[in-house]
Amino acid sequence: MIKQFLNLGKQPIANGFLQKKDIETEYFFNLGVGFDDETKLVTQTEYVDPPLMFNDEYVYRGSMSKTMREHFKALSIKINPDCKVLEIGSNDGVFIKNFKTDKAISVEPCGNFAKETNAMGYTTYPEFWTQDLANRIDLKHGKQDIIFSANCICHIPDLDQTFKAVESLLSDHGTFIFEDPSLAEVINNNSYDQIYDEHPHVFSVIALDNLLQRNGLTITRVENQTVHGGSNRIFAKRIGATIDDTVESNKSYERILGLDQYKTFEKFADRVKQSKVDLLRILNGCKEEGKKVIAYGATSKSTTVFNYCGITPDLIEYITDTTPEKQDKLSPGMHIPVVKPEDKIDDSVEYAYLGAWNFAKEIKANEKDFIRRGGKFITHIPNVRLI
Ligand code: TYD
């Protein structure tokens, strides 16, 4: 049974950057978050229909940051180049492009990105991951040695179907490698903004192992990653494979944090409410003093924060973002203008809310001038403060 612990209120499609003319028809849903007693999964109480989020107008590009390009390159060189690799959710090819086109296949339901990887020479199935698709890939390309997925499995409402389909397509000793934001890090960082329509689940290793095991797979290794505010890279194989120490050490750490207990999430919900009060206090203070505040990075995460806290262009004048598909549009729900960074992070900007706090290191290195002239970043991670 799923028991709700947090209500993040009325939320739009997190990556639904829009034009003024589309405001009237903008889609909203109620973002409730709960805990499943049986599997220990943290999951939304109502799922948004995937085609509303993942379609030909999808705007998130994995290759926009150097950190992510290097992260995927580093993993790819550890994989034997003779392996047959399938990627679920290949986005703009940021991972798959590290492999030869005759060894790797992509699955990507966002048609705009499926076209891009197809044009790069990778057979790309422009579809959602299903058992039917796995069966067709099996018939045409055979079993796969590596099935990889980054920041995608936590996007899929039906995890049982997803894992069953993966199990059916893996070669005998094949490995399913996937990575998503870690629930332990969300709790440690109070990063409630990891929860939005596209992230119906936030995974603990404990919950994942429960779900994988009921579908014929078992976690054999866990690697903690720093990307996306703290992620876990999970290695899973068929039940019976050798399991290394990282699995139990991660699970026991999660038990210490109480990730297997509802009451932990009730306390988290209290901290989230306080974060909202503290962030509004800083932004309202800036407004009263006539300071110019912008946001840095039009992230999905900031869609959750802005809509939960009710942050309008009154408090944050505009958001800068390097993604061409987001520029000259309005942010979902709160309709803050998104602009190109080049001409907009000028001397008039005094405060910048870090929407892309997960890239703080890269951003600080890029924005030395802003910092030198006394510009301050505002963050809510792990608590609301100025940097
Ligand atoms: P990310 O944190 O991956 O977003 P999400 O919450 O949607 O998963 O995305 C970072 C966003 O910030 C992306 O739209 C690109 C943008 N960005 C900049 O504008 N400047 C930068 O220096 C960096 C690193 C990212």
Side-chain angles (χ1 to χ4, degrees):
M1 193 190 75
I2 295 166
K3 197 168 160 196
Q4 178 165 313
F5 59 83
L6 178 63
N7 184 357
L8 291 168
K10 192 178 137 198
Q11 293 280 346
I13 298 295
N15 266 314
F17 294 87
L18 70 170
Q19 314 273 5
K20 216 173 184 172
K21 66 174 174 49
D22 301 319
I23 287 179
E24 263 187 33
T25 54
E26 193 172 14
Y27 177 87
F28 288 91
F29 69 103
N30 190 73
L31 181 47
V33 195
F35 177 74
D36 181 12
D37 274 347
E38 189 193 337
T39 60
K40 316 296 178 201
L41 180 69
V42 166
T43 189
Q44 287 174 21
T45 50
E46 177 192 329
Y47 300 137
V48 172
D49 193 22
L52 285 173
M53 300 175 277
F54 308 111
N55 49 48
D56 296 356
E57 273 105 53
Y58 192 61
V59 294
Y60 179 82
R61 273 186 184 276
S63 62
M64 273 296 111
S65 98
K66 186 167 165 247
T67 314
M68 293 314 291
R69 291 193 298 273
E70 289 176 353
H71 171 80
F72 291 126
K73 171 104 194 156
L75 171 64
S76 67
I77 57 181
K78 289 190 201 157
I79 294 173
N80 180 340
D82 294 330
C83 281
K84 283 163 75 178
V85 177
L86 171 98
E87 184 176 10
I88 304 173
S90 48
N91 192 257
D92 63 356
V94 61
F95 172 75
I96 206 96
K97 72 174 183 211
N98 296 299
F99 296 87
K100 291 201 182 120
T101 50
D102 62 342
K103 290 286 177 196
I105 309 168
S106 293
V107 173
E108 175 51 66
C110 302
N112 49 339
F113 290 131
K115 265 192 204 135
E116 283 188 23
T117 46
N118 231 337
M120 290 175 188
Y122 298 97
T123 302
T124 306
Y125 289 85
E127 298 177 41
F128 287 98
W129 176 246
T130 59
Q131 183 66 64
D132 175 60
L133 176 59
N135 295 345
R136 280 183 279 128
I137 291 175
D138 194 358
L139 276 177
K140 189 145 183 221
H141 308 270
K143 304 282 185 211
Q144 301 295 309
D145 303 312
I146 301 283
I147 298 183
F148 178 72
S149 190
N151 303 305
C152 175
I153 299 300
C154 74
H155 290 186
I156 308 178
D158 187 342
L159 295 171
D160 284 318
Q161 187 205 222
T162 299
F163 293 154
K164 259 191 203 95
V166 166
E167 196 271 342
S168 73
L169 191 58
L170 273 182
S171 62
D172 284 350
H173 299 286
T175 311
F176 176 32
I177 308 174
F178 64 106
E179 53 186 67
D180 291 286
S182 143
L183 181 62
E185 292 302 315
V186 167
I187 296 297
N188 287 338
N189 290 325
N190 212 30
S191 48
Y192 68 90
D193 52 342
Q194 287 287 14
I195 307 165
Y196 47 90
D197 54 355
E198 287 181 26
H199 287 182
H201 325 287
V202 189
F203 293 140
S204 64
V205 176
I206 294 174
L208 276 175
D209 216 15
N210 289 337
L211 283 150
L212 286 159
Q213 292 217 18
R214 70 185 192 194
N215 292 291
L217 295 165
T218 189
I219 302 181
T220 56
R221 179 172 175 74
V222 178
E223 291 177 359
N224 307 125
Q225 306 283 322
T226 54
V227 295
H228 285 293
S231 301
N232 284 328
R233 179 175 288 157
I234 304 287
F235 295 75
K237 286 177 175 282
R238 291 228 165 69
I239 287 176
T242 311
I243 296 171
D244 81 13
D245 295 346
T246 57
V247 180
E248 187 45 40
S249 62
N250 273 274
K251 284 185 179 178
S252 70
Y253 173 60
E254 289 182 349
R255 283 191 288 267
I256 292 167
L257 290 179
L259 301 191
D260 53 348
Q261 290 171 45
Y262 178 79
K263 65 174 192 274
T264 305
F265 301 102
E266 278 184 314
K267 288 186 197 142
F268 169 64
D270 290 340
R271 295 197 299 276
V272 172
K273 285 176 201 144
Q274 189 58 47
S275 177
K276 171 176 177 173
V277 171
D278 295 344
L279 183 59
L280 287 174
R281 188 181 300 129
I282 288 200
L283 293 176
N284 281 315
C286 288
K287 186 180 160 192
E288 276 159 29
E289 289 172 26
K291 306 275 189 208
K292 177 161 172 178
V293 185
I294 66 155
Y296 200 109
T299 58
S300 326
K301 294 185 286 293
S302 43
T303 296
T304 293
V305 175
F306 294 165
N307 285 274
Y308 173 59
C309 300
I311 296 168
T312 56
D314 204 32
L315 294 177
I316 288 188
E317 205 173 310
Y318 52 80
I319 309 170
T320 64
D321 198 286
T322 49
T323 315
E325 289 87 345
K326 296 181 187 176
Q327 294 163 353
D328 304 319
K329 292 198 178 142
L330 300 172
S331 75
M334 291 290 116
H335 310 142
I336 304 173
V338 182
V339 299
K340 292 186 189 68
E342 296 84 84
D343 31 308
K344 288 295 196 174
I345 308 177
D346 59 19
D347 289 357
S348 65
V349 177
E350 295 164 283
Y351 292 89
Y353 168 76
L354 262 183
W357 53 264
N358 43 318
F359 293 115
K361 220 163 138 195
E362 187 173 336
I363 292 170
K364 280 188 218 159
N366 289 343
E367 298 303 332
K368 289 206 180 83
D369 282 351
F370 172 71
I371 297 167
R372 210 171 290 129
R373 65 179 165 74
K376 297 258 183 280
F377 289 108
I378 302 171
T379 187
H380 66 287
I381 302 294
N383 42 47
V384 176
R385 67 205 163 97
L386 298 177
I387 307 176

